[in-house]
Amino acid sequence: MTSNAFETAETLRRQAIEWRHDFHRHPELLFDVGRTAARVAELLRGFGCDEVVTGIGRSGVVAVIRGGTAPASRTIGIRADMDALPIIEATGLSYASADAGRMHACGHDGHMAILLGAVNQLAKTRAFTGTLVAIFQPAEEGGGGAKVMAEDGLFERFGIEEVYALHNMPAMAIGTFAISEGVMLAAADRFDIKIIGKGGHAAQPHETVDPIVIANHVVGALQTIVSRSVNPADPVVLSVTSIEAGAAYNVIPTEAVLKGTVRAFSDTSRDIVESRMRAIIASIAQAFGAEAKFDYRRGYPPTVNHPAQACILAAAAAHVAGDTAVKRDLAPLMIAEDFSYMLRARPGAFIFMGNGTTAPLHHSEYDFNDDALPYGIALWIDLVRRASK
């Protein structure tokens, strides 16, 4: 280990594990994180933070810690997400979820413990310049809590100039990090298509307008958008993930309903995909004498790191874990993250941290690896000392 911050973080391991296990045992969903937020706020007040504010973005918690060496310097924000997932836990751990049907299957319990550990140390020593704003965010798992906090004045109220976040990653070794100086993650949009035809007896198909046949033509035609309408240098995924139509062997139904997702790394590609989908669906339905209804809903935008802040975050990771432990040219992934909203509001960066050999994210047997805690705590301590100068 090459960093004093890591040595300090090791001393906080036991407390951080206790915090994480407590959060893990009591998972809460989306914005309904009352117990979690109250516990976070209680700990932050106990650390002696200068300000602890609750109810930002409905149920978010924000703490302010002012450095002791140059108070006129920069203000940076670090975000940890608080919500769990509606999954039945199958880990069998002694601290497994006490609430059936809910579990921390994405490691947000670990993310909170990491930021709490860093805040505890920084509030105690004040050995940094500028100001740290610790952001504990609800509703990352589908609720867009980052957007809600931003719209509630998070950045303006606390004067945040830059913002950072991390996420654990299974199959990456403990003590390693991965980042890029641009696109990290994709946008995640959803769509619904309803094909309305004319039902009838399966033995008399000529008297019907078969929505199942039309739906199959639509699915095939939609695949040409990626291969023929979008720049191949700007990857897109378009997946139809559900088709519902009919319930009997001898009846052609009146309707077919399709659902799916679009993943893209740029708003330009999202615009193209939505426009082409609308045109293709309408024209195919018209050609067969059917009606089509199309609903396209924009989800989280792409997560795009700002180069200067990505360099600062990578340098902090290298100081903590060693230069060879930091991959600086991570290829973008098609998963999505609502920290993207914060990166649209302020310059900043997002980094992956190794979680070792564990079950994948969003799996019933997943668990955050406690051995990763000191690396995350040390990363934030080192980053604050760098970025707030």
Side-chain angles (χ1 to χ4, degrees):
M1 313 315 164
T2 61
S3 168
N4 289 334
F6 185 86
E7 295 173 5
T8 299
E10 276 284 7
T11 68
L12 298 166
R13 177 198 288 262
R14 183 184 60 79
Q15 280 185 311
I17 289 173
E18 290 177 1
W19 298 331
R20 186 187 81 77
H21 289 189
D22 178 61
F23 292 136
H24 191 95
R25 191 176 293 111
H26 302 285
E28 296 177 297
L29 304 181
L30 295 173
F31 290 98
D32 296 325
V33 291
R35 182 194 184 277
T36 303
R39 178 60 176 149
V40 166
E42 177 187 33
L43 289 167
L44 293 170
R45 292 187 182 102
F47 300 158
C49 296
D50 297 297
E51 296 179 54
V52 177
V53 183
T54 60
I56 304 295
R58 294 172 56 178
S59 50
V61 181
V62 175
V64 177
I65 308 95
R66 298 182 181 91
T69 57
S73 297
R74 300 181 63 75
T75 298
I76 71 163
I78 298 177
R79 184 215 71 170
D81 31 19
M82 296 191 291
D83 58 321
L85 285 155
I87 294 175
I88 297 174
E89 182 162 355
T91 63
L93 294 165
S94 61
Y95 53 87
S97 172
D99 301 297
R102 300 186 298 199
M103 74 170 287
H104 272 292
C106 202
H108 297 183
D109 51 345
H111 302 168
M112 287 186 282
I114 284 169
L115 185 52
L116 286 167
V119 170
N120 185 15
Q121 179 64 19
L122 292 166
K124 183 187 304 180
T125 65
R126 307 286 172 153
F128 65 98
T129 63
T131 301
L132 167 63
V133 179
I135 305 162
F136 292 85
Q137 178 210 305
E140 190 281 323
E141 298 290 359
K147 183 173 185 286
V148 176
M149 290 190 81
E151 291 174 343
D152 201 18
L154 169 68
F155 295 100
E156 297 79 12
R157 178 171 178 178
F158 297 99
I160 299 169
E161 298 168 78
E162 298 178 3
V163 65
Y164 298 88
L166 65 74
H167 203 292
N168 76 95
M169 181 57 74
M172 273 178 56
I174 295 291
T176 64
F177 295 88
I179 193 170
S180 69
E181 293 183 14
V183 177
M184 285 280 288
L185 305 173
D189 299 339
R190 297 180 179 182
F191 62 83
D192 292 274
I193 305 166
K194 179 181 285 188
I195 307 295
I196 304 168
K198 179 183 176 184
H201 201 296
Q204 298 172 312
H206 59 291
E207 295 183 357
T208 72
V209 177
D210 191 339
I212 296 177
V213 171
I214 300 167
N216 277 280
H217 279 272
V218 167
V219 171
L222 291 181
Q223 303 312 304
T224 66
I225 297 174
V226 173
S227 65
R228 291 297 179 269
S229 297
V230 176
N231 185 341
D234 188 9
V236 168
V237 169
L238 193 165
S239 295
V240 177
T241 57
S242 172
I243 301 178
E244 298 179 1
Y249 290 102
N250 60 348
V251 177
I252 292 173
T254 298
E255 296 181 354
V257 176
L258 299 79
K259 300 178 181 180
T261 185
V262 173
R263 304 295 172 109
F265 293 134
S266 73
D267 286 340
T268 298
S269 287
R270 298 167 91 188
D271 292 341
I272 292 170
V273 170
E274 181 179 358
S275 175
R276 292 299 299 136
M277 288 185 73
R278 197 172 299 281
I280 287 170
I281 294 164
S283 61
I284 290 176
Q286 183 180 29
F288 280 95
E291 178 186 355
K293 295 182 178 179
F294 176 55
D295 181 31
Y296 190 99
R297 300 183 302 284
R298 302 248 172 160
Y300 298 169
T303 301
V304 183
N305 280 345
H306 297 251
Q309 286 70 33
C311 285
I312 293 170
L313 186 50
H319 191 232
V320 166
D323 194 63
T324 59
V326 182
K327 183 177 178 61
R328 298 171 185 260
D329 58 351
L330 178 70
L333 304 177
M334 282 292 178
I335 56 178
E337 158 68 63
D338 83 339
F339 186 64
S340 54
Y341 290 113
M342 293 194 179
L343 289 176
R344 289 195 166 192
R346 290 293 185 274
F350 177 88
I351 194 169
F352 284 115
M353 179 186 71
N355 199 55
T357 305
T358 64
L361 300 174
H362 293 211
H363 190 283
S364 61
E365 295 180 0
Y366 166 86
D367 186 38
F368 183 91
N369 194 326
D370 287 332
D371 290 339
L373 289 169
Y375 289 95
I377 294 169
L379 175 70
W380 289 150
I381 292 173
D382 196 279
L383 175 79
V384 169
R385 291 171 179 168
R386 290 170 184 271
S388 63
K389 292 180 180 179

